[in-house]
Amino acid sequence: QVRVVESGGGWVQAGGSLRLSCAASGRTFSTVSMAWFRQVSGKVREFVAAISRSAGILYYTSYADSVEGRFTISGDGAKNTLALQMSSLKPEDTAVYYCAASLGFFSRDYDRRLPGQYAYWGQGTQVTVSS
C-alpha cells in the first residue's frame, strides 16, 4: 500500500506564489514517477506537471503548456517527496491539486501526462487565486 499526502494549498492573489508538497510512503522503491494534476468542479482532471526517475539518477520532467515557465516540479527520489513551486499565479490556476505516484518509470512524455498511469493518489489540496 502506498499513501500519498499533499500539503501547501491555500489562497493567494493573482501574481503571487505558492508551494505545494507531496510525500509518498508505505513502500520503498527507486523507480518512481510522480505528478501533479488539478481539477475544477465539473471538469475533467487536468495534467499539470510530472517527474519520472530511474534509480534516482536519470529523470524526465513534463509540464502542461498552461503552466510552463511559471511552475517548477522537483523531487527527492530517496525520500519519495515531490514539490510544485507555483509562481505568477492566475485566477485560472484555481483548482484542487492532486499528487499522484506510480512505481513505473515513464520515458515517454505522453505516458507521464496520463492520469491512468498513476495508481496512487492523494486527497487533494485547494489552491485559490483571486483577481
Side-chain angles (χ1 to χ4, degrees):
Q1 185 73 18
V2 176
R3 183 169 181 245
V4 177
V5 179
E6 309 97 336
S7 61
W11 176 91
V12 66
Q13 286 190 322
S17 299
L18 276 177
R19 182 179 178 87
L20 303 183
S21 297
C22 174
S25 61
R27 290 183 61 174
T28 301
F29 42 90
S30 60
T31 300
V32 62
S33 298
M34 297 183 76
W36 292 99
F37 291 81
R38 65 187 182 187
Q39 189 169 23
V40 175
S41 180
K43 295 188 177 181
V44 298
R45 193 163 293 187
E46 176 189 28
F47 169 77
V48 176
I51 186 166
S52 191
R53 293 182 294 269
S54 178
I57 301 174
L58 180 65
Y59 70 94
Y60 297 97
T61 58
S62 298
Y63 292 93
D65 290 345
S66 60
V67 306
E68 181 100 48
R70 299 188 298 121
F71 292 10
T72 302
I73 191 170
S74 60
D76 185 325
K79 298 180 180 179
N80 292 316
T81 58
L82 186 71
L84 185 69
Q85 180 66 45
M86 304 184 294
S87 303
S88 302
L89 282 161
K90 305 175 181 179
E92 50 263 44
D93 293 318
T94 295
V96 177
Y97 283 70
Y98 295 90
C99 178
S102 170
L103 301 183
F105 171 61
F106 306 133
S107 60
R108 296 195 309 169
D109 176 77
Y110 175 81
D111 291 322
R112 292 192 290 274
R113 297 170 183 265
L114 294 177
Q117 295 284 26
Y118 300 88
Y120 308 102
W121 292 80
Q123 293 300 305
T125 184
Q126 177 71 45
V127 171
T128 302
V129 184
S130 64
S131 57

